[in-house]
Amino acid sequence: MKRLLGVMAIAVLGFAAVGTAAPGDPTDLKVSKTANAGTVTVGDTITYTIKVENLGPETATGVTVSDPLPKGVDYASATSTQGTCSLQGQKVVCAIGTLETGPTAKVSSATVTLNVVARKAGATTNTATVAGDQKDPVAANDSATAAVNIIAKAPTATCRGVAATIVGTAASEELTGTGGRDVIVARGGNDVVHSFAGRDLICAGRGGDRVVAGTAADRVFGNAGNDRLFGRGGRDVLRGGRGFDVCRGGAGLDSVRGCER
C-alpha cells in the first residue's frame, strides 16, 4: 500500500509539473515597441505599442511590463489586451499575468497601448522592459526602445497682431480671400492678393506685391519692396511700406499714407 501511495504521489507531482510552471523553469519573454510617428509636434499625442510574447518553453507567470516615461511628455492613458496598467510615479506598470506557450496556448502574448502628450521639443527615447516569475535565458529581448523627435510648433502668422486666416509662402503666388472677413499675410515673393467682401486686413510680404482690396472697408499694409495697393470700395486704409509704393483708393473716403501716387 505504501508503495502504491508513493507511485500515485509521484504521478500527481509529475502532472502538476506539466500544467504549471515553477519559478526555476526557463521561460523566454520577448518585448517589442513601436511609436505611431518618428516626428511629432508639441501638443500631439504619441502612441506607443508594446507587444509581449512568451517564446517558451514553459508557461510564464507574474509577467509585468515596466515603462518609465521620458522627460518632455505627459501621461495620457495605458491599456493592455490582458491585465491592467497603472501610473506609478513617472512609470507605467502593466500587470499582464500569465502567458502560456505552444500551439495549444490560450494566451501567449499581450499588447499594451500607451498614450502620452508631447510637451517639450527635443529627441526622446522610451524603453519598456518585461519580467516574469521564471528565469529568462535570453536577456537581450527583455527590453525595447522607441525614439521620437518632438519639434516646436511653428509661430502663428499675424497681421498687425491679428492671427492670419490665409498665409502665403516664400514663393511668388496668388492669394485669394473669401466672401467673409479675411486676415491675409503674404510672405516672400512678388505676390498678387485679392480680397472680396468682408472687412479684410491685409499685410503685404517682402517682395513687390500687388494688393487689390475688396468691396468693404479694408485695411491694407505694404512691406519692404515696391508694392501696389488698390482699394475698390468703402473707407479703405492703405499704408505703403518701405520701398516705392503706389496706392490707389477706390470709391469711398480712403486713407492713404506712405505712398507715391
Side-chain angles (χ1 to χ4, degrees), residues 222-237:
N223 204 328
N226 301 328
D227 300 319
R228 292 177 295 165
L229 313 179
F230 301 94
R232 285 195 295 174
R235 300 186 61 175
D236 298 320
V237 174

Side-chain angles (χ1 to χ4, degrees), residues 10 17 22 34 43 56 82 95 99 104 118 144 154 163 172 184 194 197 201 240 250:
I10 292 173
T34 58
Q82 172 160 301
L99 293 179
T104 61
S172 297
I184 303 175
H194 292 276
L201 174 61

Side-chain angles (χ1 to χ4, degrees), residues 114-141:
L114 170 60
N115 294 308
V116 299
V117 179
R119 294 302 185 195
K120 185 178 180 181
T124 64
T125 55
N126 188 212
T127 300
T129 59
V130 64
D133 294 336
Q134 290 70 35
K135 294 187 300 185
D136 194 326
V138 184
N141 60 8

Side-chain angles (χ1 to χ4, degrees), residues 33-59:
K33 183 172 189 174
T34 58
N36 64 327
T39 300
V40 300
T41 303
V42 171
D44 289 348
T45 297
I46 305 171
T47 299
Y48 295 106
T49 301
I50 306 165
K51 185 176 181 180
V52 180
E53 302 173 82
N54 180 9
L55 303 183
E58 303 293 343
T59 296

